[in-house]
Amino acid sequence: MKRLISIILCAAVIFGLAACGQTGENTGTQEEQTAPAAENAAGTDGPEGGSNVMIAYFSWSGNTADMAQYIQEQTGGDIFEIQPVEPYPTDYDECGDVALEERDSNARPEIRDLPESLEGYDTLFIGYPIWWHTAPMIIGTFLENYDLSGVEVYPFTQSASMDTEQFDNSMEFVRQSAGNATVHDGLFADESDAEAISAYLSENGFARQD
């Protein structure tokens, strides 16, 4: 009888060890199990979330930023704020003096945290205010930093005067700076004119899908 009991106990121990071996690989939490995949996704060089649309913009007063944010909401694209390494003065007149000097010298202000590549994006919305009858020179810095061959570029801008000649000057500057990109007719509208912005997006095939 003792021998029979010993055999039964041994069998129970062996069965228990086998069961632990089958379940041990899945004892981590859901976060731990999925962490490697999340890290790989975050570490890729391509667009976030699979988007092929980039909205890059420079804004001094915040007006162009409002336009960029609205376009991002409507297109679902990734967004990048163009910021100079040397910040522009917060005083309006002082900033104007710096901007004029940059325009007259055709300067290319250095950009902070500039993306190494735009690979994976085939659409670029580029936003800016009108400064001294054209686009700020920092827009040239951004566009000239990349090979934009095959990229569709859509400029958007606004200004206090809404002078169309100044807008045309800015478009010429963008086309010169964008190299081999296809630069489409731009959007020139008040930053608060959601109807005009939506119409521009719709006309160019970026109608929001609800």
Side-chain angles (χ1 to χ4, degrees):
M1 178 62 70
K2 291 181 179 180
R3 183 178 181 184
L4 178 60
I5 293 173
S6 297
I7 293 173
I8 293 173
L9 290 174
C10 288
V13 171
I14 293 171
F15 179 82
L17 291 174
C20 289
Q22 293 173 359
T23 61
E25 295 177 358
N26 297 318
T27 56
T29 64
Q30 183 177 3
E31 289 79 8
E32 291 170 338
Q33 293 172 17
T34 59
E39 289 174 0
N40 290 339
T44 58
D45 295 328
E48 299 178 7
S51 171
N52 64 350
V53 176
M54 163 69 80
I55 302 103
Y57 71 95
F58 166 71
S59 184
W60 180 76
S61 67
N63 292 337
T64 307
D66 290 342
M67 296 180 74
Q69 189 63 45
Y70 185 81
I71 291 172
Q72 192 278 330
E73 292 171 356
Q74 299 303 305
T75 64
D78 298 330
I79 195 165
F80 174 75
E81 181 179 4
I82 299 170
Q83 301 183 67
V85 170
E86 183 68 31
Y88 289 103
T90 56
D91 179 79
Y92 180 87
D93 291 332
E94 292 178 8
C95 183
D97 291 342
V98 173
L100 180 60
E101 182 180 350
E102 288 181 349
R103 188 206 66 176
D104 289 347
S105 62
N106 198 29
R108 292 296 182 270
E110 188 177 355
I111 296 173
R112 188 174 72 188
D113 299 326
L114 185 67
E116 292 183 5
S117 171
L118 294 186
E119 184 178 356
Y121 295 103
D122 57 30
T123 300
L124 172 65
F125 286 89
I126 184 77
Y128 54 88
I130 298 293
W131 275 11
W132 291 108
H133 302 186
T134 188
M137 296 299 100
I138 198 168
I139 295 300
T141 308
F142 182 87
L143 294 173
E144 292 168 5
N145 189 70
Y146 305 105
D147 178 4
L148 297 175
S149 300
V151 177
E152 308 284 325
V153 176
Y154 296 87
F156 62 96
T157 183
Q158 49 74 39
S159 72
S161 65
M162 296 302 291
D163 186 307
T164 56
E165 182 178 355
Q166 296 177 13
F167 168 62
D168 291 340
N169 291 340
S170 78
M171 286 295 300
E172 182 179 355
F173 179 76
V174 169
R175 289 193 168 97
Q176 291 174 349
S177 302
N180 294 324
T182 299
V183 179
H184 295 264
D185 292 339
L187 168 66
F188 191 36
D190 187 273
E191 72 278 0
S192 62
D193 193 345
E195 184 176 351
I197 300 172
S198 295
Y200 177 80
L201 295 175
S202 181
E203 290 166 2
N204 286 282
F206 296 98
R208 182 174 180 176
Q209 301 296 323
D210 293 323

